[in-house]
Amino acid sequence: MRVVMFGYQTWGHRTLRALLDSEHVEVAMVVTHPRSEHAYERILADSVEDLAKENGVEAVLAQRPDDALVDRLREAAPDLIVANNWRTWLPPEVYTLPTHGTLNVHDSLLPAYAGFSPIIWALINGESEVGVTAHMMNEELDAGPIVGQKSVTVGPRDTAIDLVHATVDLIEPLVAEALEFIASGRTDWTPQDRSKASFFHKRSLEDSRIDWTWPADDLDRLVRALADPYPNAYTYYKGERIHIIEASVSDGRYGGTPGRIFYPEGKGVVIVAGADARFGRNHGLRIERVRTDDGTEYAGTEFFTSMGGYLTSHP
């Protein structure tokens, strides 16, 4: 099969490696985005363009498919398009062009967590597993029939970057398996159960702001979901923003007002958490390490030298 790949960063890089290693395909062309200095796009930024050139494959840089690119695709005459981490909409004249259609690789267990930042959202929401789905594209984003899936278990102290690395390692075996199925002539793909679908938006700075009315378990997962190298969860102390680098759920239960800097415990300082904290039945969030906006890091017990006062969502 002649294949054109649309992809970017490490996700696209691993997909291209699988295509190059496959006995079933000839990679006719690769389409990738230009390099970006955006914070999220500097994370896991293996170059699809470089890998293509190293293997004698034409690499086209584009932000979105324009008429000229569509003409080039027609000239390439692919039997299959494979996409992974392509950041803009692929129109019907692209994804329906090949004989076998377009295989998209998405880093969630569809139909859940369609859209953007699925690993981060899944960790925040306490999912027990995450994974990668290969599906055939149709007119709705991340909604086409499923060709295959692979998953990993979420560990009790996993961060988002731990899970990203784990799921990235699933891409090559999943793509290899999907290519085997397609090359064999199979088309008996599994329709998605749309009653179980969820669709998440791109993350922004606002989504990293800590709300101390959340339960401590949820805040602990938020901090781990936004651990380095992602933009960290943040709060305000005496009007200044601080980033929470490490935290965990307290051993003890603490009552009072959400956000209160309350009590030293273990290697950190406990902050009262939860909308119903006034009843005294909640665990708090034990802050163990913080970073100020100037990049200086402190142990929680070093930064909060006296108890009292509040951490707030806004200055």
Side-chain angles (χ1 to χ4, degrees):
M1 294 183 293
R2 283 175 59 81
V3 172
V4 170
M5 195 201 83
F6 282 75
Y8 188 50
Q9 294 177 282
T10 299
W11 294 266
H13 190 276
R14 293 293 184 92
T15 303
L16 180 55
R17 276 188 3 194
L19 294 174
L20 292 168
D21 289 343
S22 173
E23 63 180 301
H24 299 291
V25 306
E26 169 200 351
V27 183
M29 187 170 72
V30 166
V31 187
T32 188
H33 299 301
R35 287 179 174 85
S36 170
E37 291 305 309
H38 188 281
Y40 278 106
E41 294 186 3
R42 293 198 303 269
I43 301 168
L44 279 83
D46 292 308
S47 172
V48 170
E49 179 187 10
D50 290 349
L51 181 60
K53 289 179 177 178
E54 288 164 10
N55 286 274
V57 177
E58 179 186 9
V60 177
L61 300 182
Q63 292 292 6
R64 54 187 52 81
D66 57 16
D67 291 343
L69 180 54
V70 173
D71 287 342
R72 294 182 76 173
L73 288 171
R74 291 194 181 105
E75 291 171 6
D79 300 302
L80 177 72
I81 290 175
V82 178
N84 192 352
N85 198 37
W86 179 258
R87 297 301 185 85
T88 57
W89 181 61
L90 289 180
E93 58 265 32
V94 171
Y95 70 75
T96 62
L97 189 152
T99 308
H100 296 293
T102 294
L103 179 77
N104 184 56
V105 182
H106 179 72
D107 50 342
S108 83
L109 296 173
L110 293 173
Y113 296 95
F116 304 92
S117 306
I119 298 293
I120 292 176
W121 287 115
L123 180 53
I124 290 170
N125 292 335
E127 301 293 350
S128 61
E129 61 179 5
V130 294
V132 181
T133 301
H135 71 97
M136 304 308 298
M137 286 188 67
N138 62 14
E139 68 279 359
E140 190 175 350
L141 184 64
D142 297 333
I146 293 171
V147 176
Q149 290 184 321
K150 293 187 182 297
S151 64
V152 294
T153 300
V154 178
R157 301 307 302 163
D158 276 342
T159 66
I161 198 65
D162 294 329
L163 297 174
V164 166
H165 283 298
T167 54
V168 160
D169 286 342
L170 301 176
I171 291 172
E172 289 178 75
L174 178 63
V175 171
E177 184 177 274
L179 293 173
E180 289 273 359
F181 292 158
I182 294 168
S184 73
R186 281 186 57 181
T187 57
D188 56 335
W189 316 132
T190 304
Q192 292 191 39
D193 182 349
R194 303 308 294 158
S195 69
K196 297 179 180 178
S198 54
F199 185 33
F200 285 80
H201 63 75
K202 289 182 179 179
R203 293 191 62 80
S204 68
L205 185 62
E206 179 64 25
D207 303 311
S208 300
R209 187 190 304 274
I210 291 176
D211 179 347
W212 292 103
T213 65
W214 283 22
D217 283 335
D218 292 356
L219 293 175
D220 169 48
R221 290 194 301 271
L222 178 69
V223 170
R224 287 188 285 119
L226 299 174
D228 292 341
Y230 290 101
N232 307 121
Y234 67 92
T235 188
Y236 288 87
Y237 178 56
K238 297 181 178 179
E240 300 296 324
R241 183 170 62 177
I242 59 171
H243 306 264
I244 310 304
I245 307 303
E246 293 179 20
S248 56
V249 177
S250 69
D251 297 322
R253 298 177 187 270
Y254 299 87
T257 302
R260 177 76 174 190
I261 303 164
F262 189 18
Y263 197 76
E265 184 188 271
K267 297 188 296 182
V269 171
V270 176
I271 312 301
V272 176
D276 58 349
R278 66 189 181 279
F279 295 113
R281 295 191 290 263
N282 293 358
H283 295 281
L285 185 72
R286 182 172 52 215
I287 294 180
E288 292 155 355
R289 195 153 195 85
V290 305
R291 181 185 296 133
T292 54
D293 266 349
D294 66 5
T296 306
E297 290 193 18
Y298 302 86
T301 50
E302 178 187 8
F303 188 81
F304 300 109
T305 55
S306 59
M307 299 301 99
Y310 293 86
L311 298 181
T312 58
S313 297
H314 296 83

